[in-house]
């Protein structure tokens, strides 16, 4: 029997606009879910680890969308294996997909994976990923195909000096060097003269006599310094695997008896500096670190005298490249296994096998990756899951909740009735990562965000107002919010927390509170409010597009709550503001810096706390050549800050809580290590690292942390963060009374109260 026309009209009217504009959600069948789960796994393996020219050139958003329709409807494992192999054949002709139990099926290595009999000369090509190159802007993230014929990388130790009296003279560079290198490795001394206007000057690098001697010897290099020389550059280069050491570097005019015929190099004997760290006065470029080399100062053994510099390679400098016939066998689920080549033969014409003349265009070229359709959403889940599976720096890819997250997200994507339902699906997928930076789940058609004119916090198991503006509809600090848009506040918060990825409960709670506050600019938030001594009432707040910070403390951005004690809210400051405030801070006997959240202050603040050169935490990018986090290497970098005047010599405290993550924790990590200040309040957010992101089908963008951070002692930062040296918390009674007990505790600490 047909339903009444009125019911049909009502049903159509209730369909969300996003569905009406695209298609009615269609839940996955059990077989369809198995098919797409297997597809997502294989999609990431081919995309990131199969080094064919076609895969490297593919538009993977389009590929992902096209593949959904190609494999979802397979009726059984055998049909799924055929569909997957056929779909990926244009990009991976040597890929094979089998039934998990082939029952006598013989798995032969494709002929094209053996050394070809024609063409050449041949090299072996494979992928190497530094955190993965997607749409993020940080240069530390990259994806490259490398081969077994390219020359090894090199590490370069550099110092540049002004020519001074050496202009127009012949000079001799001398150094003591030894090199314990692997086959093909060597060290070199280099001398370069840079002339005005970029004109070529002397360049010598011992190319005809590379250093391979494992005993200490003295090496010399002579060259002419042009009269218009702008600088003289001394270089020490290590190529290939192994270690090399250098000491007692000098540069003098010849004949050596000439008066005034020398130039002073900084730390030429490597006597200054901290063992195990880079020697001061010498430059070691990031490109050398990325190539797999490290520079450290050594004392005692293996140095000839007291100290020396060591340049050493690691596994990044000499990567293991698999043979093409050594294929990866991956269980995809759904009853099938894939044999995925991780390397290929290649010659001047490209990877083997070469595409046949007149071959048809890939099946994905006509796919629409721009529209926010059901297929695009399923593809987005497959793509973002694959990225995290192989590259997320903190993920254990065997975690049961992470394994279960993929099919759950595919189901959610197939059923999502609108954009917000799908956003919730993506957020839930990312929860097991414990990554604050997955906060960013955006769509190109999202309206402008707005925020209500209040700040709030979860205090003593209640949602309480901590700050207001004039547009807050009569609300004031201390008011308890019992309901949001008719829903109990505790229930709304718990539901939102389930969608937030963060390593600590307190951090998830702060982020969930931010999510609850956000909404389209101009939208309204109806609050059920309780106030001591008053009957419950309702307040309606409009979300404004302004990103103005609503203070959550009664103090202004800069205050002097006690004589000689200065409070500074770093969340409301810029470097320019801080610079103008420095004379006052330098004269203060106590300073309280508020870092309970995000701040735009740079490390210049720390330079006024440091008494000597200070090191950052250790920043690590995963170097990935195999799937599923197997045999991951780590590219480790750090940076330094130098002391600046005036030094802040009064007693200092920093206020912290779970809102302090990311860059705020970059500052806090150094403060914690060097004990420049008391840390007062609650543990920080416990998550840091540079942002990476990918633009995905349907206009979606997802962000994540592409690095992991280690503390100065090498211990994990993720999930640990910075702990307060003096715990403190706010109370409902204090907030209602216009007090901030955390600030008060910090004032006591710096004032000696």
């Amino acid at each position: 029997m047909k339903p009444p026309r009125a019911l049909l009209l009502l049903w159509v009217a209730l369909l969300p606009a996003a569905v009406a504009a695209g298609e009615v959600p269609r839940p996955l069948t059990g077989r369809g879910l198995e098919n797409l789960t297997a597809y997502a796994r294989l999609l990431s393996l081919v995309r990131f680890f199969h080094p064919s020219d076609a895969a490297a050139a593919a538009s993977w958003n389009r590929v992902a969308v096209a593949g959904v329709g190609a494999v979802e409807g397979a009726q059984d494992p055998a049909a799924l294996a055929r569909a997957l192999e056929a779909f990926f054949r244009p990009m991976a002709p040597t890929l094979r997909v089998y039934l998990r139990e082939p029952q006598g099926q013989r798995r032969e290595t494709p002929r094209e994976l053996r050394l070809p009999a024609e063409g050449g000369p041949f090299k072996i090509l494979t992928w190497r990923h530094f955190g993965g190159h997607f749409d993020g802007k940080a240069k530390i993230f990259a994806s490259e195909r490398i081969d077994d014929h390219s020359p090894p990388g090199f590490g370069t130790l550099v110092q540049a000096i002004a020519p001074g009296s050496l202009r127009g003279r012949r000079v001799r560079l001398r150094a003591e060097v030894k090199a314990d290198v692997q086959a093909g490795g060597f060290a070199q001394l280099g001398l370069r003269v840079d002339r005005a206007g970029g004109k070529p000057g002397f360049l010598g690098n011992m190319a005809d006599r590379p250093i391979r001697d494992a005993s200490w010897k003295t090496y010399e290099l002579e060259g002419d310094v042009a009269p218009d020389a702008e600088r003289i550059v001394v270089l020490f280069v290590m190529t290939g695997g192994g270690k090399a050491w250098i000491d007692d570097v000098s540069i003098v005019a010849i004949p050596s008896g000439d008066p005034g015929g020398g130039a002073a190099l900084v730390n030429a004997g490597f006597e200054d500096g901290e063992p195990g760290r880079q020697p001061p006065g010498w430059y070691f470029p990031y490109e050398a670190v990325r190539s797999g080399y490290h520079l450290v100062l050594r004392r005692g053994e293996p140095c000839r005298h007291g100290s020396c510099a060591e340049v050493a390679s690691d596994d990044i400098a000499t990567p293991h490249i698999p043979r093409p016939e050594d294929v990866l066998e991956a269980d995809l689920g759904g009853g099938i296994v894939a044999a995925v080549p991780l390397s290929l033969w290649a010659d001047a014409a490209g990877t083997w096998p070469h595409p046949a003349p007149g071959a048809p265009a890939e099946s994905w070229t006509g796919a629409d990756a721009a529209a926010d359709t059901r297929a695009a959403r399923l593809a987005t889940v497959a793509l973002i899951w694959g990225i995290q599976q192989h590259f997320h720096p903190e993920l254990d890819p065997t975690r049961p909740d992470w394994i279960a997250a993929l099919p759950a997200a595919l189901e959610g994507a197939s059923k999502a009735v609108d954009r917000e339902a799908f956003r919730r699906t993506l957020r839930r997928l990312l929860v097991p990562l414990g990554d604050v930076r997955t906060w960013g789940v955006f769509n190109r058609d999202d309206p402008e965000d707005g925020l209500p004119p209040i700040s709030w916090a979860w205090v003593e198991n209640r949602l309480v107002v901590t700050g207001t503006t004039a547009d807050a509809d009569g609300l004031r600090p201390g008011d308890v919010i019992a309901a949001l848009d008719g829903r109990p506040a505790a229930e709304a918060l718990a539901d939102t927390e389930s969608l937030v990825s963060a390593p600590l409960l307190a951090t998830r709670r702060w982020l969930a509170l931010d999510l609850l506050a956000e909404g389209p600019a101009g939208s309204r938030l109806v609050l059920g409010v309780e106030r001591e001594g008053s009957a419950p009432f309702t307040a309606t707040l409009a979300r404004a597009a302004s990103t103005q910070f609503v203070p959550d403390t009664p103090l202004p951005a800069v205050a002097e709550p006690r004589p000689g004690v200065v409070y500074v809210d770093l969340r409301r400051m810029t470097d320019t503001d801080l610079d103008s405030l420095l004379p006052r801070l330098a004269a203060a006997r106590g300073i309280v810096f508020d870092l309970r959240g995000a701040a735009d202050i740079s490390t210049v603040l720390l330079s006024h706390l440091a008494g000597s050169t200070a090191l950052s935490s250790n920043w690590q990018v995963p170097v990935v050549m195999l799937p599923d986090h197997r045999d991951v290497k780590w590219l480790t970098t750090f940076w330094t800050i130098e002391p600046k005047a005036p030094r802040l010599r009064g007693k200092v405290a920093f206020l912290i809580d779970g809102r302090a993550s990311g860059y705020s924790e970059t500052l806090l990590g150094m403060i914690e290590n060097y004990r420049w200040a008391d840390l007062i309040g609650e543990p920080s957010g416990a998550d840091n690292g540079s942002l990476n992101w990918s633009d995905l089908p349907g206009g979606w963008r997802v962000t994540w942390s592409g690095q992991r951070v280690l503390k100065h002692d090498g211990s994990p930062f993720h999930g640990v963060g910075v702990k307060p040296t003096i715990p403190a918390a706010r109370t409902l009674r204090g907030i209602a009374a216009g007090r901030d007990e955390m600030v008060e505790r910090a004032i006591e600490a710096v004032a000696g109260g």
Side-chain angles (χ1 to χ4, degrees), residues 60 85 112 175 196 222 272 345 439 477 487 515 606 722:
W60 282 97
E85 198 170 296
E112 296 87 351
E222 295 183 4
D272 298 334
W345 294 105
W439 171 269
R487 192 178 184 190
L515 275 180
L606 304 188
V722 175

Side-chain angles (χ1 to χ4, degrees), residues 452-468 472-494 512-514 516-518 525-532 535-541 543 550 732 735-736:
I454 62 170
S455 56
W456 56 25
W458 189 255
V459 179
E460 298 176 11
N461 293 318
R462 306 297 298 275
L463 182 56
V464 59
V465 176
T466 54
T468 64
D473 195 20
L475 292 176
R476 63 192 189 200
D479 287 343
V480 171
I481 299 171
L484 293 90
D485 292 328
R487 192 178 184 190
E491 179 185 308
L493 180 60
L513 289 173
D514 286 346
L516 284 172
E518 281 186 358
L525 184 63
V526 180
L527 306 178
V529 185
E530 296 174 356
R531 177 183 297 166
E532 188 173 355
F537 63 95
T538 299
T540 301
L541 306 179
R543 292 184 175 96
V550 180
L732 286 172
I735 295 169

Side-chain angles (χ1 to χ4, degrees), residues 61-67 363-370:
N61 282 358
R62 289 186 175 184
V63 171
V65 172
S363 58
W364 53 264
T365 54
D368 182 3

Side-chain angles (χ1 to χ4, degrees), residues 36 220 315 530 565 631 743:
L36 290 183
E220 296 180 347
D315 291 340
E530 296 174 356
V565 174
D631 197 26
V743 173

